[in-house]
Amino acid sequence: MTATTLTGIIGGTGLTRLEGLALTEDRFIETPYGAPSAPLQLGHYAGHPVVFLARHGQDHRLAPHQVNYRANIWALHSLGARRIIAVAAVGGIHPALGPASLAVPDQIIDYTWGRAHSFSAEGHVLHADCTEPYDRDLRAALIGGAAAAGVAVLPQGVYAVTQGPRLETAAEVRKLRAEGCDMVGMTAMPEAALARELDLAYATLAVSVNWAAGLGPAGSDIHGDIADSLERGMAQVRAVLGAVLGG
Ligand code: HPA
């Protein structure tokens, strides 16, 4: 990626602030769809111009179904970001996605409902091509950055997007696995589709913070390890971002 391209970074759970961001400005923006989750933070990360947005708000007050995805994506686009790296906490379904492991998913199955999920307006209907919901080049950059940083990532996988905010039942996770899902989170849709509608390159760096329901060791508490896994996972995320943006 060229040194002058503004890159949007959407931080999820565990990444409401981007440590290492040399902040130049907080931008409070109104969009035709309302206000984004938080002020957009313009600055540099690893020497590269970035605009950072905390998906759930700076104090993590918004549940996944309450996030104004349209305002978020619109705001990033309006500031000139043309590619977005979305960081997202997930539950691991694939055997390689235990807590604190990373993945760069290549597919999505959307199980959400009732979210404002399109910029389509009457008389202007958009049918975004989501055959490949993630941008191929940006995914390759994330995978290459991880290799350069010595961070292991699962280089593909299907991200199941559930409505939340509750976690899944064990039977739901068995169904997701049978349907081909490798990880489960709550935010990839409509975020990815909205980015596609505005022709933004979008890719996700997913961080497993727990085994999905029913897949952890017998008797384990799904919340038990989340804080520790988040911390370890996010340290790896920062290393990958540094390699992608600084490299
Ligand atoms: N399910 C859905 N979303 C999540 C999970 C999970 O187990 N962990 C983190 N985000």
Side-chain angles (χ1 to χ4, degrees):
M1 97 184 38
T2 62
T4 51
T5 317
L6 182 65
T7 301
I9 300 175
I10 301 180
T13 302
L15 195 67
T16 50
R17 279 185 181 71
L18 186 58
E19 212 177 286
L21 174 70
L23 186 65
T24 49
E25 193 184 346
D26 265 351
R27 209 51 97 76
F28 294 81
I29 291 185
E30 248 334 280
T31 78
Y33 306 94
S37 300
L40 277 76
Q41 302 194 294
L42 285 158
H44 287 81
Y45 191 82
H48 183 95
V50 299
V51 50
F52 178 77
L53 175 59
R55 181 188 287 117
H56 301 278
Q58 283 177 330
D59 46 5
H60 204 284
R61 73 201 145 80
L62 298 168
H65 66 290
Q66 296 169 320
V67 170
N68 189 339
Y69 295 94
R70 291 195 300 184
N72 286 354
I73 295 296
W74 190 273
L76 287 165
H77 181 266
S78 74
L79 283 189
R82 291 296 174 264
R83 70 185 104 223
I84 296 178
I85 299 172
V87 180
V90 296
I93 297 175
H94 188 286
L97 274 184
S101 311
L102 270 51
V104 179
D106 63 332
Q107 279 296 332
I108 302 175
I109 299 180
D110 185 3
Y111 298 92
T112 67
W113 46 269
R115 300 182 180 189
H117 61 286
S118 174
F119 294 114
S120 285
E122 212 176 299
H124 183 61
V125 180
L126 300 161
H127 294 292
D129 181 350
C130 290
T131 312
E132 284 189 47
Y134 293 113
D135 183 77
R136 210 183 268 193
D137 292 343
L138 193 51
R139 286 187 57 251
L142 289 174
I143 293 163
V151 172
V153 292
L154 185 66
Q156 75 282 310
V158 179
Y159 180 138
V161 199
T162 54
Q163 178 73 354
R166 69 167 176 86
L167 296 169
E168 298 69 41
T169 67
E172 285 169 338
V173 169
R174 285 198 295 274
K175 176 171 176 273
L176 294 176
R177 187 168 55 184
E179 291 183 345
C181 301
D182 297 301
M183 65 203 86
V184 53
M186 301 176 188
T187 56
M189 284 295 187
E191 209 168 77
L194 291 166
R196 180 59 52 82
E197 284 189 355
L198 294 188
D199 217 12
L200 297 170
Y202 175 95
T204 288
L205 190 54
V207 188
S208 168
V209 295
N210 56 276
W211 285 113
L215 299 183
S220 62
D221 169 8
I222 210 164
H223 287 295
D225 294 330
I226 285 188
D228 173 60
S229 306
L230 254 182
E231 204 175 306
R232 288 189 292 133
M234 288 306 161
Q236 300 184 76
V237 165
R238 284 193 290 274
V240 175
L241 291 178
V244 171
L245 297 170

